[in-house]
Coordinates of all heavy atoms in Angstrom, one line a residue:
D40 N 4.8 33.3 -20.0 CA 4.9 34.7 -20.3 C 6.3 35.2 -20.3 O 6.8 35.9 -21.1 CB 4.0 35.6 -19.4 CG 2.6 35.4 -19.7 OD1 2.2 35.0 -20.8 OD2 1.7 35.7 -18.8
S95 N 1.8 41.3 -24.4 CA 0.7 41.5 -23.6 C -0.6 41.4 -24.5 O -0.6 42.1 -25.5 CB 0.7 42.9 -22.9 OG -0.6 43.3 -22.4
A96 N -1.6 40.6 -24.1 CA -2.8 40.5 -24.9 C -3.5 41.8 -25.0 O -4.0 42.2 -26.1 CB -3.7 39.5 -24.2
D97 N -3.5 42.6 -23.9 CA -4.2 43.9 -23.9 C -3.5 44.9 -24.9 O -4.2 45.6 -25.6 CB -4.3 44.5 -22.5 CG -5.1 43.7 -21.6 OD1 -6.0 43.0 -22.1 OD2 -5.0 43.8 -20.4
I98 N -2.2 44.9 -24.9 CA -1.5 45.8 -25.8 C -1.7 45.4 -27.3 O -1.9 46.2 -28.1 CB 0.0 45.8 -25.5 CG1 0.3 46.3 -24.0 CG2 0.8 46.7 -26.4 CD1 -0.2 47.7 -23.7
Y99 N -1.6 44.1 -27.5 CA -1.9 43.6 -28.9 C -3.3 44.0 -29.3 O -3.5 44.3 -30.5 CB -1.7 42.1 -29.0 CG -0.3 41.6 -29.1 CD1 0.3 40.6 -28.3 CD2 0.5 42.2 -30.1 CE1 1.6 40.1 -28.5 CE2 1.9 41.7 -30.3 CZ 2.4 40.7 -29.5 OH 3.6 40.3 -29.7
Y100 N -4.2 43.8 -28.4 CA -5.6 44.2 -28.7 C -5.8 45.6 -29.1 O -6.4 46.0 -30.1 CB -6.5 43.8 -27.5 CG -7.9 44.2 -27.7 CD1 -8.8 43.5 -28.6 CD2 -8.5 45.2 -26.9 CE1 -10.1 43.9 -28.7 CE2 -9.8 45.5 -27.0 CZ -10.6 44.9 -27.9 OH -12.0 45.2 -28.0
Y119 N -4.6 41.1 -33.6 CA -5.8 40.5 -32.9 C -5.4 39.0 -32.7 O -5.7 38.4 -31.7 CB -7.0 40.6 -33.7 CG -7.7 42.0 -33.7 CD1 -8.3 42.5 -34.8 CD2 -7.7 42.7 -32.6 CE1 -8.9 43.7 -34.8 CE2 -8.2 44.0 -32.5 CZ -8.9 44.5 -33.7 OH -9.4 45.7 -33.7
E120 N -4.8 38.4 -33.7 CA -4.4 37.0 -33.6 C -3.4 36.7 -32.5 O -3.5 35.8 -31.8 CB -3.9 36.5 -35.0 CG -4.9 36.3 -36.1 CD -5.7 35.0 -36.0 OE1 -5.5 34.3 -35.0 OE2 -6.4 34.7 -37.0
R121 N -2.4 37.7 -32.4 CA -1.4 37.5 -31.4 C -2.1 37.7 -30.0 O -1.7 37.0 -29.0 CB -0.3 38.6 -31.6 CG 0.6 38.3 -32.8 CD 1.5 39.4 -33.1 NE 2.5 39.0 -34.1 CZ 3.4 39.8 -34.7 NH1 3.4 41.1 -34.4 NH2 4.2 39.3 -35.6
A122 N -3.0 38.6 -29.9 CA -3.7 38.8 -28.6 C -4.5 37.5 -28.3 O -4.6 37.1 -27.1 CB -4.7 40.0 -28.7
L123 N -5.1 36.9 -29.3 CA -5.9 35.7 -29.1 C -5.1 34.5 -28.6 O -5.6 33.7 -27.9 CB -6.7 35.4 -30.3 CG -8.0 34.6 -30.1 CD1 -9.0 35.4 -29.2 CD2 -8.7 34.3 -31.5
L124 N -3.8 34.5 -29.1 CA -2.9 33.5 -28.6 C -2.7 33.5 -27.1 O -2.6 32.5 -26.4 CB -1.6 33.6 -29.3 CG -1.4 32.8 -30.6 CD1 0.0 33.1 -31.2 CD2 -1.6 31.3 -30.5
L125 N -2.6 34.7 -26.6 CA -2.4 34.9 -25.2 C -3.7 34.8 -24.3 O -3.7 34.4 -23.2 CB -1.7 36.3 -24.9 CG -0.3 36.5 -25.6 CD1 0.1 37.9 -25.4 CD2 0.7 35.5 -25.0
K126 N -4.8 35.2 -25.0 CA -6.1 35.2 -24.3 C -7.1 34.6 -25.2 O -8.0 35.2 -25.7 CB -6.6 36.6 -23.9 CG -5.9 37.1 -22.6 CD -6.6 38.4 -22.2 CE -6.1 38.9 -20.8 NZ -6.8 40.2 -20.4
P127 N -7.1 33.2 -25.4 CA -7.9 32.6 -26.4 C -9.4 32.6 -26.0 O -10.3 32.5 -26.9 CB -7.4 31.2 -26.5 CG -6.7 31.0 -25.1 CD -6.1 32.3 -24.8
G128 N -9.7 32.9 -24.7 CA -11.1 32.9 -24.3 C -11.7 34.3 -24.3 O -12.9 34.4 -23.9
D129 N -11.0 35.3 -24.7 CA -11.5 36.7 -24.7 C -12.5 36.9 -25.9 O -12.1 36.9 -27.0 CB -10.3 37.6 -24.8 CG -10.8 39.1 -24.4 OD1 -11.6 39.6 -25.1 OD2 -10.2 39.6 -23.4
S130 N -13.7 37.2 -25.5 CA -14.8 37.3 -26.6 C -14.6 38.7 -27.3 O -15.0 38.7 -28.5 CB -16.2 37.3 -25.9 OG -16.3 38.3 -24.9
D131 N -14.1 39.7 -26.7 CA -13.9 41.0 -27.3 C -12.9 40.9 -28.4 O -13.0 41.4 -29.5 CB -13.5 42.1 -26.3 CG -14.6 42.5 -25.4 OD1 -15.8 42.3 -25.8 OD2 -14.3 42.9 -24.3
I132 N -11.7 40.2 -28.1 CA -10.7 40.0 -29.1 C -11.2 39.2 -30.3 O -11.0 39.6 -31.5 CB -9.5 39.3 -28.5 CG1 -8.9 40.1 -27.4 CG2 -8.4 39.0 -29.6 CD1 -7.8 39.4 -26.6
R133 N -11.9 38.1 -30.0 CA -12.5 37.3 -31.1 C -13.5 38.0 -31.9 O -13.5 37.9 -33.2 CB -13.1 36.0 -30.5 CG -13.4 34.9 -31.5 CD -13.8 33.6 -30.7 NE -12.7 33.1 -29.9 CZ -11.7 32.4 -30.3 NH1 -11.6 32.1 -31.6 NH2 -10.8 31.9 -29.5
N164 N -9.4 26.3 -26.2 CA -9.3 27.8 -26.4 C -10.2 28.6 -25.5 O -10.2 29.8 -25.6 CB -9.6 28.1 -27.9 CG -8.5 27.6 -28.8 OD1 -7.4 27.5 -28.4 ND2 -8.9 27.2 -30.0
S165 N -11.0 27.9 -24.7 CA -11.9 28.7 -23.7 C -11.1 29.4 -22.7 O -11.5 30.3 -22.1 CB -12.9 27.7 -23.1 OG -12.3 26.8 -22.3
M166 N -9.8 28.9 -22.4 CA -8.9 29.6 -21.4 C -7.5 29.6 -22.0 O -7.2 28.8 -22.9 CB -9.0 28.8 -20.1 CG -10.4 28.9 -19.4 SD -10.3 28.4 -17.7 CE -9.7 26.7 -17.8
G167 N -6.7 30.4 -21.4 CA -5.3 30.5 -21.8 C -4.4 29.5 -21.0 O -4.9 28.8 -20.1
V168 N -3.1 29.5 -21.3 CA -2.2 28.6 -20.7 C -2.1 28.8 -19.2 O -2.1 27.8 -18.4 CB -0.8 28.7 -21.4 CG1 -0.3 30.1 -21.3 CG2 0.2 27.7 -20.7
Q222 N -1.5 24.8 -25.3 CA -1.5 26.2 -25.4 C 0.0 26.7 -25.4 O 0.3 27.7 -26.1 CB -2.3 26.8 -24.2 CG -3.8 26.6 -24.3 CD -4.5 27.6 -25.2 OE1 -3.8 28.4 -25.9 NE2 -5.8 27.5 -25.1
L226 N 2.1 28.9 -28.3 CA 2.8 30.1 -28.1 C 4.3 30.1 -28.5 O 4.8 31.1 -29.1 CB 2.7 30.5 -26.6 CG 1.4 31.1 -26.1 CD1 1.4 31.2 -24.6 CD2 1.1 32.5 -26.8

Side-chain angles (χ1 to χ4, degrees):
D40 288 339
S95 165
D97 293 338
I98 301 298
Y99 277 132
Y100 176 69
Y119 287 144
E120 289 279 7
R121 286 172 174 171
L123 206 58
L124 269 179
L125 298 174
K126 279 188 178 181
D129 193 300
S130 58
D131 290 335
I132 298 173
R133 195 170 296 277
N164 292 329
S165 64
M166 296 194 299
V168 57
Q222 293 277 8
L226 281 171

